[in-house]
Amino acid sequence: HEMNGNWYPWSMGSTPQDFILAWRRIHDIFANKSLGSTRLQWIWCVNNADVGGYAAENYWVGENYVDWMGIDGYNFGTSQSWSSWLTPNQVFDNMITRLKNLSSTKPICINEYASTSMRIGNTPNITAKSDWLQQFCTYMNNKQIKMASYFNTEKETDWAIFGGVRGDSLWGNYSVYSAYRSCLQSTDWILANSTNARLISDAQFAGTS
């Protein structure tokens, strides 16, 4: 997880080889417990940009130890002194290309993504964030991203799309962004199981469906 950054113990004070050895050891422990691919999937997830002392590729553990390749990336907009507004393409394109160079067979997922509403300066722009959410929905389909998880937490900025400090509509007492709901209701997504929304098929679990 974000091993090519500089904010976690496994990317500070250790080397890529240390990470690879640790990953493979833990992987083999689970494999020896007969936890097959229908019960456990391994996601090798990098930050969308190299921030630490090593490139993401230096941490590659090998195809035999990975089921999915993942990316975490954010549109910080102008919420930080060092950041500017970025489209989904600008956030993810470069790293997606790099991951595909590592493996042409593993499915790609976006493990964390979010957008601020700060389009220009410190003034929230709900419309701009709504547009970004719609753009990401289209982006996922165009890039054949198999899975994505939104970072619904108010942390560095107003990331949340449900229950956060702002939105374009209400669901009960919660502020929400309707653009996200519209995206999930698209026929481009795998619909939830009608009897149990938490159930998925083995193929969906493996990213092959």
Side-chain angles (χ1 to χ4, degrees):
H1 173 72
E2 298 178 2
M3 67 292 281
N4 59 326
N6 61 1
W7 43 83
Y8 286 126
W10 48 88
S11 57
M12 299 171 61
S14 60
T15 67
Q17 188 60 28
D18 294 329
F19 177 87
I20 292 170
L21 291 174
W23 178 289
R24 290 180 176 178
R25 180 176 183 274
I26 295 170
H27 177 280
D28 290 346
I29 289 173
F30 279 86
N32 290 333
K33 297 294 183 180
S34 300
L35 290 172
S37 60
T38 60
R39 300 178 65 188
L40 177 66
Q41 292 279 302
W42 292 85
I43 303 177
W44 184 81
C45 177
V46 301
N47 193 56
N48 71 304
D50 299 320
V51 181
Y54 300 95
E57 290 85 349
N58 294 125
Y59 292 93
W60 179 236
V61 295
E63 290 209 14
N64 292 335
Y65 293 88
V66 172
D67 297 306
W68 292 74
M69 298 188 297
I71 307 172
D72 292 349
Y74 294 83
N75 171 32
F76 280 88
T78 54
S79 67
Q80 311 297 310
S81 61
W82 46 264
S83 62
S84 60
W85 188 266
L86 299 175
T87 66
N89 296 73
Q90 291 172 313
V91 175
F92 295 107
D93 270 2
N94 178 261
M95 189 56 73
I96 286 177
T97 298
R98 290 166 61 183
L99 294 192
K100 288 183 176 180
N101 287 334
L102 289 175
S103 173
S104 61
T105 61
K106 301 298 181 182
I108 293 178
C109 56
I110 305 298
N111 293 90
E112 293 179 17
Y113 79 99
S115 176
T116 182
S117 69
M118 305 300 174
R119 177 71 174 83
I120 300 174
N122 294 319
T123 302
N125 187 327
I126 292 173
T127 299
K129 179 170 177 174
S130 295
D131 290 343
W132 195 96
L133 293 170
Q134 288 286 7
Q135 291 166 12
F136 182 84
C137 188
T138 301
Y139 181 81
M140 272 195 64
N141 292 324
N142 291 342
K143 293 293 183 176
Q144 297 183 321
I145 303 300
K146 295 290 187 175
M147 177 173 62
S149 178
Y150 193 89
F151 188 80
N152 191 56
T153 300
E154 307 285 41
K155 193 177 178 183
E156 299 91 345
T157 183
D158 60 341
W159 299 128
I161 52 175
F162 181 91
V165 295
R166 54 184 59 92
D168 64 356
S169 57
L170 291 174
W171 189 82
N173 294 323
Y174 297 102
S175 296
V176 299
Y177 279 85
S178 56
Y180 185 76
R181 180 178 62 185
S182 297
C183 179
L184 292 184
Q185 291 175 336
S186 167
T187 56
D188 294 322
W189 293 74
I190 296 174
L191 298 178
N193 185 290
S194 59
T195 57
N196 187 337
R198 294 178 296 176
L199 293 179
I200 59 175
S201 68
D202 289 343
Q204 291 165 358
F205 188 49
T208 58
S209 173

